[in-house]
């Protein structure tokens, strides 16, 4: 049996299903490229039938991918499978991933189908997908809560009709590691044609066990794991790619498997996904949290100085971090700035570099010490200037004996707009002044401020969550001035809200759980 573990990343599909996460087509293309570069074997780029935006994103990720297989999700029905094929056809290599629930609970209440109908549906959907590609993955949704004998039978049917990857989802994150590992072992010994397919696993993190369950599945014979960057995904998320990969790398002694992931890209892609979705990575998150390599206690620091292995089981460099020491200052030149950005993995065109270098000099005038995080924030800020609504300028008046007032200038589709508002405090007045220009009924659900680096002159990172008619979005803004960072975060969220509103209007996001059976002539 091969020791290669296929890494199937579903950040752009299950990850985007996280409440509040929203990615534009351009953002998905950027993440898709980064996943491809990092060595992900299969990128699940979206659910093409879900909306025009999803279709376009899958199409673009497919045509941009150099090495990764690009995959699209499809329910077991004609419309979905056709949409997946149409979105994927420009890819060098593509996969159609089709699924249907197999648990009694899902079949009875969600699908309203009996076992015979579900088996019939598997035959038709897998055959139909096989007409379009040899690379078909099939998932029995809610597998871990399905009747075992029925599950084995459905897997056998899917393989007979052409599925070459069988993905076992722990859809509701209910399993525990021994139980889930055992399920994989039992599938291997009870499904008579299982040798014709690769077993994959897709674990959700509702009980915090997604990574452990995935590893237990590997030990018991799974050779593909489905995961997401930073573990984002439906509800509590999916198994985190970086945790699985680094676990396999660090514990080779007990887990003798390999992946094709370039681990040095992990830190950068984690940051990219966090910035894009607006989901902060908690400081103590394994591998990519801000504190994952920070040694705070005196005893630990002393140990580290004597020998790093005393308290370090993997190096920060192995995930692409260097120590967050002072990198550049006021007197650094354009060349040093460019080299540092390249070291951080940013390939910036000369014209953009001029703009960025100017911003860098402005920042260096305000801030004594510039850290890598500051440079990353500069690049992030520049990339958000391509949006529909752009921040231009802000003046705020506030204080203990003053009525707060904000005066904002923003650009919408290239046109400069100004407004002014009073409010209950500076943030309220900033947001109200923006609302006067960009009318919306969104409620502010969350407002959070973090500092990017240490020191009183650190840049602020503000996160806001807005909710409007069932749509929820996160926005992020960074600046040395917390008020400006707040305005940028609010504008960033509004850009995403506009984007998501359009998606809702254009798409068929209102899914019916009831499957429209594929006509009999398909098989
Ligand atoms: O969690 C799940 O069951 C899924 C399937 C579509 C694979 O995301
Ligand atoms: Zn899932």
């Amino acid at each position: 049996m091969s020791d290669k573990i296929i890494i199937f990343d579903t950040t752009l599909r299950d990850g985007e299903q996280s409440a509040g996460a929203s990615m534009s087509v351009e953002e998905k293309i950027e993440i898709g490229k980064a996943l491809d570069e990092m060595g992900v074997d299969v990128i699940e780029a979206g659910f093409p039938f879900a909306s025009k935006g999803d279709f376009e994103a899958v199409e673009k990720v497919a045509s941009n991918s150099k090495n990764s297989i690009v995959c699209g999700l499809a329910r077991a029905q004609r419309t979905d499978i056709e949409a997946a094929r149409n979105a994927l056809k420009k890819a060098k290599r593509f996969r159609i991933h089709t699924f249907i629930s197999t648990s009694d609970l899902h079949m009875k209440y969600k699908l309203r189908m009996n076992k015979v109908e579900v088996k019939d549906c598997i035959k038709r959907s897998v055959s139909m997908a096989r007409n379009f590609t040899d690379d078909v993955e099939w998932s029995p949704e809610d597998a871990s809560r399905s009747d075992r004998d029925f599950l084995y039978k459905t897997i056998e049917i899917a393989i007979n009709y052409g599925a070459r990857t069988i993905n076992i989802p722990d859809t509701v994150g209910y399993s525990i590691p021994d139980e889930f590992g055992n399920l994989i072992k039992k599938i291997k010994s009870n499904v008579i044609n299982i040798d014709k397919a690769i077993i994959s696993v897709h674990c959700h993190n509702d009980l915090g066990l997604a990574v452990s369950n995935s590893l237990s599945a590997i030990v018991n014979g799974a050779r593909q794991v489905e995961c997401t960057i930073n573990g984002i995904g439906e509800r509590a998320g999916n198994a985190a790619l970086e945790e699985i990969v680094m676990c396999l790398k660090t514990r080779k002694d007990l887990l003798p498997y390999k992946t094709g992931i370039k681990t040095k890209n992990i830190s950068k892609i984690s940051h990219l996904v966090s910035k894009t979705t607006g989901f902060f990575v908690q400081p103590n998150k394994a591998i990519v949290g801000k504190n994952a390599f920070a040694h705070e206690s005196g005893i630990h620091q002393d140990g580290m100085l004597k020998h790093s292995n005393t308290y370090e089981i993997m190096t920060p460099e192995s995930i692409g971090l260097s120590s967050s020491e002072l990198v550049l200052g006021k007197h650094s030149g354009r060349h040093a700035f460019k080299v540092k950005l390249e070291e951080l993995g940013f390939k910036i065109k000369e014209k953009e570099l001029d703009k960025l270098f100017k911003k860098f000099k402005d920042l260096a005038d305000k801030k004594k010490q510039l850290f890598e995080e500051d440079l990353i924030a500069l690049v992030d800020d520049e990339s958000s200037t391509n949006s529909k609504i752009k921040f231009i300028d802000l003046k705020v008046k506030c204080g203990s004996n003053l009525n707060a007032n904000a005066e904002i200038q923003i650009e919408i589709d290239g046109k400069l707009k100004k407004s002014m508002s009073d409010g209950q405090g500076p943030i309220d007045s900033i947001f109200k002044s923006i609302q006067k220009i960009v009318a919306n009924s969104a409620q502010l659900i969350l407002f959070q401020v973090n500092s990017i680096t240490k020191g009183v002159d650190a840049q602020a990172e503000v996160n806001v969550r807005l909710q409007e008619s069932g749509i929820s979005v996160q926005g992020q803004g960074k600046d040395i001035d917390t008020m400006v960072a707040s305005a940028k975060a609010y504008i960033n969220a509004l850009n995403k809200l506009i984007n998501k509103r359009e998606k809702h209007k254009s798409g068929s996001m209102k899914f019916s759980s009831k499957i429209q059976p594929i006509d009999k002539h398909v098989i």
Side-chain angles (χ1 to χ4, degrees):
M1 202 175 187
S2 160
D3 62 352
K4 160 94 199 249
I5 304 299
I6 299 166
I7 299 294
F8 176 115
D9 180 278
T10 182
T11 306
L12 299 178
R13 199 278 296 170
D14 213 319
E16 208 213 7
Q17 285 173 217
S18 320
S22 147
M23 302 181 209
S24 65
V25 173
E26 290 66 34
E27 288 168 337
K28 283 192 169 188
I29 296 171
E30 194 184 359
I31 294 177
K33 282 184 185 163
L35 291 168
D36 187 25
E37 247 169 57
M38 184 168 70
V40 160
D41 301 286
V42 188
I43 300 173
E44 188 165 53
F47 197 158
F49 185 70
S51 71
K52 260 195 193 158
D54 243 28
F55 185 94
E56 199 191 331
V58 174
E59 200 175 32
K60 296 261 169 62
V61 173
S63 44
N64 276 300
S65 171
K66 293 200 176 93
N67 300 306
S68 312
I69 295 172
V70 182
C71 173
L73 186 69
R75 285 170 302 173
Q77 66 179 36
R78 173 182 290 282
T79 46
D80 290 41
I81 298 170
E82 277 175 352
R85 191 279 308 257
N86 291 338
L88 289 163
K89 61 186 178 207
K90 291 194 191 123
K92 279 197 187 128
R93 291 188 296 159
F94 75 83
R95 172 179 297 185
I96 296 178
H97 176 191
T98 182
F99 71 99
I100 192 165
S101 296
T102 50
S103 67
D104 289 347
L105 208 66
H106 278 216
M107 287 190 291
K108 183 167 175 201
Y109 295 106
K110 190 181 101 162
L111 297 175
R112 302 211 175 101
M113 286 167 97
N114 61 35
K115 287 185 174 172
V116 175
E117 287 169 323
V118 166
K119 284 197 277 188
D120 226 35
C121 217
I122 299 168
K123 293 174 190 168
R124 291 185 219 294
S125 53
V126 174
S127 319
M128 184 174 181
R130 262 311 286 257
N131 286 337
F132 297 139
T133 173
D134 289 347
D135 193 348
V136 174
E137 172 168 331
W138 179 75
S139 294
E141 193 186 358
D142 206 17
S144 52
R145 294 193 301 169
S146 299
D147 168 75
R148 291 284 171 100
D149 288 332
F150 181 62
L151 179 66
Y152 303 149
K153 193 69 211 158
T154 57
I155 296 173
E156 186 191 323
I157 293 171
I159 297 173
N160 274 339
Y161 282 80
R164 287 297 163 259
T165 302
I166 296 294
N167 178 46
I168 306 300
D170 183 24
T171 302
V172 289
Y174 182 68
S175 285
I176 60 170
D178 276 354
E179 181 193 23
F180 196 64
N182 201 266
L183 172 62
I184 303 304
K185 196 193 235 165
K186 285 274 160 54
I187 288 172
K188 278 180 76 75
S189 55
N190 284 286
V191 177
I192 48 171
N193 51 2
I194 197 69
D195 58 312
K196 295 198 177 66
I198 287 173
I199 301 180
S200 166
V201 286
H202 176 110
C203 297
H204 277 273
N205 205 30
D206 300 66
L207 294 172
L209 294 169
V211 170
S212 310
N213 285 338
S214 306
L215 293 173
S216 173
I218 290 174
V219 171
N220 285 286
R223 286 296 174 267
Q224 174 176 290
V225 274
E226 303 202 353
C227 43
T228 58
I229 303 297
N230 299 339
I232 64 169
E234 194 74 62
R235 304 181 311 280
N238 290 68
L241 178 147
E242 62 279 4
E243 293 180 22
I244 292 177
V245 168
M246 289 311 287
C247 200
L248 296 180
K249 187 176 161 98
T250 308
R251 294 309 309 270
K252 271 211 157 16
D253 53 336
L254 291 178
L255 299 165
Y257 310 101
K258 57 174 193 255
T259 73
I261 298 295
K262 293 175 193 145
T263 62
K264 280 193 187 307
N265 292 31
I266 284 178
S267 170
K268 193 176 151 222
I269 200 163
S270 159
H271 174 77
L272 175 65
V273 169
S274 161
K275 175 197 86 174
T276 308
T277 54
F279 280 21
F280 274 127
V281 174
Q282 74 193 63
N284 58 321
K285 159 93 177 58
I287 319 294
V288 290
K290 208 169 168 177
N291 291 349
F293 294 93
H295 303 274
E296 192 67 19
S297 101
I299 298 171
H300 287 211
Q301 286 175 350
D302 179 57
M304 282 293 290
L305 288 172
K306 288 174 176 147
H307 197 295
S308 63
N309 281 6
T310 50
Y311 287 102
E312 203 168 72
I313 57 166
M314 53 197 160
T315 64
E317 288 77 16
S318 63
I319 62 149
L321 284 174
S322 60
S323 55
S324 186
E325 287 312 315
L326 174 66
V327 283
L328 294 173
K330 198 168 159 164
H331 302 292
S332 308
R334 192 176 180 282
H335 182 69
F337 178 64
K338 184 180 175 198
V339 170
K340 192 66 215 174
L341 287 181
E342 278 168 3
E343 267 174 37
L344 290 170
F346 297 110
K347 291 175 201 118
I348 313 279
K349 295 196 189 100
E350 283 303 308
K351 229 168 129 192
E352 284 162 32
L353 192 71
D354 288 339
K355 273 199 260 167
L356 272 177
F357 187 59
K358 181 172 177 320
K359 283 191 170 179
F360 160 74
K361 283 286 179 184
D362 291 346
L363 183 63
D365 271 341
K366 295 181 194 156
K367 196 173 183 298
K368 268 189 263 145
Q369 301 182 313
L370 283 170
F371 298 89
E372 283 183 354
E373 290 89 337
D374 290 313
L375 302 190
I376 295 170
L378 273 183
V379 179
D380 285 355
D381 197 48
E382 189 54 30
S383 60
S384 69
T385 56
N386 296 325
S387 313
K388 182 179 173 73
I389 315 171
K390 291 178 196 158
F391 170 86
I392 302 291
D393 190 47
L394 175 72
K395 288 188 189 75
V396 182
K397 203 176 71 188
C398 66
S400 49
N401 291 314
L402 280 177
N403 285 333
N405 176 276
E407 207 183 310
I408 189 111
Q409 287 190 40
I410 57 181
E411 219 179 75
I412 304 184
D413 292 328
K415 286 195 194 110
L416 191 67
K417 312 258 178 185
K418 293 180 190 179
S419 90
M420 205 194 250
S421 178
D422 290 341
Q424 290 171 339
I427 303 296
D428 189 40
S429 55
I430 293 168
F431 290 3
K432 279 189 174 138
S433 67
I434 298 171
Q435 266 166 17
K436 279 190 176 170
I437 310 175
V438 188
N440 67 80
S441 56
Q443 276 193 314
L444 181 68
I445 304 295
L446 174 117
F447 176 83
Q448 219 171 40
V449 185
N450 264 9
S451 78
I452 297 181
T453 54
K454 51 195 171 197
V456 285
D457 60 356
Q459 292 199 73
E461 181 175 64
V462 174
N463 215 358
V464 301
R465 181 184 285 204
L466 300 180
Q467 200 159 45
E468 187 195 76
S469 331
I471 307 176
S472 125
V473 288
Q474 299 259 144
Q476 230 178 38
K478 292 168 190 161
D479 200 275
I480 196 154
D481 184 307
T482 310
M483 299 303 121
V484 174
S486 306
K488 286 181 177 174
Y490 190 67
I491 289 170
N492 183 239
L494 286 177
N495 275 312
K496 291 187 175 176
L497 188 67
I498 291 167
N499 182 26
K500 230 174 171 180
R501 271 186 202 149
E502 274 162 19
K503 248 187 167 183
H504 266 237
K505 258 193 268 155
S506 75
S508 47
M509 301 272 282
K510 290 170 230 87
F511 280 122
S512 154
S513 296
K514 185 98 186 91
I515 299 291
Q516 297 300 321
I518 300 170
D519 357 314
K520 290 221 169 20
H521 72 259
V522 171
I523 44 167

